[in-house]
Amino acid sequence: MFQDRLQQAVARAERSGVPLALVFVDLDRFKAVNDTFGHDCGDALLREVARRIRDRVRESDTVARLGGDEFALILENLSEAEDAARVAQDVQRRLLEPVLLAGDQIPVSASMGIALWPASGRERLLKDADAAMYRAKRQGGNGHRFYTEEMNAQATARLTLERDLRRALQDEQFVLYYQPQVDLSTGRIVGAEALLRWRHVERGLVSPGEFIPILEESRLINSVGRWVLGSACRQGRAWREAGLPPLRVSVNLSARQFGRRDLADDIAGALAEGGMEQENLELEITESLLMEDPETALATLGRLRTELGGVGISIDDFGTGYSSLYRLKALPVQRIKIDRSFIRGVPEDREDAAITAAVIGLAHDLSLRVVAEGVETAEQLAFLRAHGCDEAQGFFFGRPVPAEEFAALLAGNGPGAKDRPR
Ligand code: C2E
Ligand code: CA
Ligand code: CA
């Protein structure tokens, strides 16, 4: 019916020449409502949202639910584009008025995208409004955006990137770089974090911040993630066979990988094929991923522990994910990595210094080892040493480098490495 109404509205606009707007509405964090309060409350919330939107628009306008937590509004006979923005703002305001759900007052917010006819033609209206909504969402939600040509260009660039990424695996364009993790009591390299790089034919080395989100969204992350695991395990074994000192290799796991049922099988397969001991592999999982759904995360970690007891787990980017300390106690992990953003301010920034010192103390009380990330200066290192931090990683010790260069670092990794000039 929505499609039909849209076709008719566009036909009328084409005859009269009067602009119309399509507003795409997507609720923010609706999944959390379902997860926290249950689906009945989620349904009640959707009905309330629908009522509030309908109350705001004119009798002749159309409001539809497209599915899930997505709604669309067709606004006809606009005198100017700003009319559509005003409707979006009003709807926004009405939604923020808390809804009473199971005794709790829940404020609702939405991300909205607006596309206008004639700028967006009949066939493009919905797509363009969706693209604009996506942008509003990316900018933190609770707001609206008009569709622009530049969004189109960005969407096209993204599609190109995705197409290139699909070929990258078979064309062997991925490589792993390794960054040293240093034991602060001995000064020796005890670990290597594997960091993914993409050698793009035209663009050169592309950093993971740019393409990992696309891999995640397109689900390519599963096959690439398996490649990373396999490649890291083979490399760990190769270093051992070259007679280099034993080393823990850390691999980053993405949200999608972590959510897979056969994760343990993938890891076991990589270890077996690469010929690496469980004890030498560590998985890095971000704190925010663990805290997104703590119960499921705990179950997944429990399974990993049963099936692959020797594999280490560390919590990555710690301090950014709002862990409840109680939850931390329950997790079967060995190490936490203090996020770069705290180390950056150490020792000058009093808050960063206090948080860093507190995290080290807390971790030790829970018998966890602590790694500081992003250590760039001697002052940061001195602070971390003084507070008993166990390990550190960062440009001060070495940037991520290809495996051959890392082997050279390792070779010079004998006793007394602590006093080596850097
Ligand atoms: P991360 O796991 O927090 O990795 C550390 C990042 O900090 C790396 O960026 C590294 O180059 C950078 N870094 C290390 N030392 C310093 C320092 O002293 N100063 C500064 N400013 N930065 C430092 P990179 O390699 O660009 O990776 C970015 C993120 O991409 C990683 O963050 C990780 O979340 C993700 N990533 C990288 N490789 C993989 C992978 O194989 N799989 C998955 N799922 N994610 C990966
Ligand atoms: Ca990491
Ligand atoms: Ca990190």
Side-chain angles (χ1 to χ4, degrees), residues 193 195 252 284 316-317 337 373:
E193 178 174 2
L195 293 159
N252 292 284
E284 294 194 3
D316 207 353
D317 303 348
K337 300 184 77 180
E373 287 192 306

Side-chain angles (χ1 to χ4, degrees), residues 319-357:
T320 57
Y322 309 104
S323 279
S324 98
L325 300 182
Y326 173 75
R327 288 246 150 80
L328 190 59
K329 190 182 97 183
L331 293 174
V333 302
Q334 287 77 41
R335 309 197 311 146
I336 61 183
K337 300 184 77 180
I338 308 179
D339 191 66
R340 257 205 317 285
S341 58
F342 301 106
I343 306 301
R344 196 179 302 135
V346 163
E348 300 84 16
D349 184 291
R350 283 186 47 206
E351 278 150 24
D352 286 347
I355 291 170
T356 301

